Amino acid sequence: QVHLEQSGGGLVQAGGSLRLSCEAFGRTFSRYHTAWFRQPPGKERDFVGVIRWTDGSTTYADSVKGRFTISRNYEQNTVYLQMNNLNPEDTAVYYCAADPSYSDTYENEYDFWGQGTQVTVSS
């Protein structure tokens, strides 16, 4: 069992940066793939990116590629989403999700979820 606690987020102007954190509590989190999703107002939740525990590789949605970076601190049991050059279209509730075996884009495949955190980008 893994419990995910998110922090970070808030209000930022277009072009600014934010970092979200996803801290895990539970055993063997180091062997969980961790993904980020986001849900804009009135829209469905979409895949943002994932970091795989097996080799540290990452995959990003085209909309964030080159601007967002996912990283991991094993000692602190935390995964980060660094978001740079934000624009108003990035406004959403952001969620982290973890799974021991799945590491792709379908949200229903992830077993554990954070509580979500709001990111608002003003123009």
Side-chain angles (χ1 to χ4, degrees):
Q1 193 78 359
V2 172
H3 176 69
L4 303 178
E5 284 282 343
Q6 295 181 226
S7 60
L11 175 65
V12 65
Q13 289 188 333
S17 298
L18 281 174
R19 189 178 78 164
L20 305 183
S21 299
C22 177
E23 184 176 6
F25 299 88
R27 297 168 55 183
T28 66
F29 178 64
S30 60
R31 296 190 175 187
Y32 280 71
H33 307 298
T34 305
W36 289 92
F37 289 81
R38 66 184 181 183
Q39 187 167 18
K43 297 183 179 180
E44 295 183 349
R45 190 155 56 185
D46 292 327
F47 174 80
V48 173
V50 64
I51 187 166
R52 300 175 182 87
W53 72 266
T54 45
D55 59 2
S57 64
T58 53
T59 300
Y60 298 96
D62 288 344
S63 58
V64 306
K65 203 173 294 183
R67 299 188 299 123
F68 290 14
T69 303
I70 300 174
S71 61
R72 188 166 198 153
N73 185 318
Y74 283 95
E75 291 184 357
Q76 297 182 350
N77 263 2
T78 302
V79 171
Y80 301 99
L81 178 64
Q82 178 67 43
M83 305 182 292
N84 298 328
N85 194 21
L86 286 160
N87 59 64
E89 289 70 37
D90 296 315
T91 295
V93 177
Y94 284 72
Y95 298 88
C96 62
D99 193 88
S101 58
Y102 185 77
S103 64
D104 213 317
T105 64
Y106 293 102
E107 61 176 296
N108 290 343
E109 297 292 331
Y110 288 89
D111 285 343
F112 304 101
W113 288 81
Q115 80 275 20
T117 186
Q118 177 70 46
V119 171
T120 303
V121 185
S122 63
S123 57

